[in-house]
Amino acid sequence: VAQRTILDKNFRRKGLKIRPRSRTLTSVHESILEDIVGPTEIFGKRTRISVDGTKIMKIYLDPKDKDKNDVEAKMSTFSAVYKKLTNKEAVFMFPEA
């Protein structure tokens, strides 16, 4: 996982004129997600908001990579690492055919 910088909304106090898109919170979290899943590709994403307001991101991985690199066993690890780095709940799965 690469080291990335997140600039908050008050980036002008740091002496910058503009905030690059690559330094926004959303962009950095997306890049972290891409880094974590490694050789597999992200097929789709859904955000599930339950009645009590908790958000769970469902990340669908590419079904072609299902049998390669033992990805099936790593999915719980992906969730734990993403939760630790971004403090967001994520569930990794393969789409049903």
Side-chain angles (χ1 to χ4, degrees):
V1 178
Q3 180 179 354
R4 294 188 172 82
T5 306
I6 299 173
L7 291 175
D8 59 350
K9 295 226 180 230
N10 317 5
F11 59 92
R12 287 192 179 86
R13 282 194 280 178
K14 293 184 174 72
L16 301 170
K17 296 266 190 264
I18 59 168
R19 177 173 64 165
R21 293 276 184 197
S22 63
R23 303 285 200 286
T24 61
L25 180 80
T26 307
S27 172
V28 170
H29 284 191
E30 291 290 320
S31 329
I32 288 173
L33 188 61
E34 286 287 333
D35 287 350
I36 287 173
V37 296
T40 65
E41 294 291 319
I42 294 176
F43 198 68
K45 284 185 284 214
R46 305 285 182 268
T47 303
R48 172 101 162 85
I49 303 173
S50 61
V51 179
D52 61 343
T54 57
K55 292 182 182 179
I56 297 174
M57 275 180 47
K58 291 184 176 182
I59 292 117
Y60 297 102
L61 301 176
D62 196 356
K64 288 184 277 187
D65 300 328
K66 194 170 192 170
D67 48 347
K68 285 196 283 186
N69 297 336
D70 200 28
V71 176
E72 200 75 56
K74 295 179 186 175
M75 286 204 252
S76 61
T77 308
F78 291 162
S79 297
V81 170
Y82 190 70
K83 171 75 173 160
K84 190 74 170 172
L85 291 175
T86 63
N87 206 21
K88 290 181 179 177
E89 290 289 335
V91 177
F92 294 87
M93 59 183 65
F94 290 106
E96 281 82 37

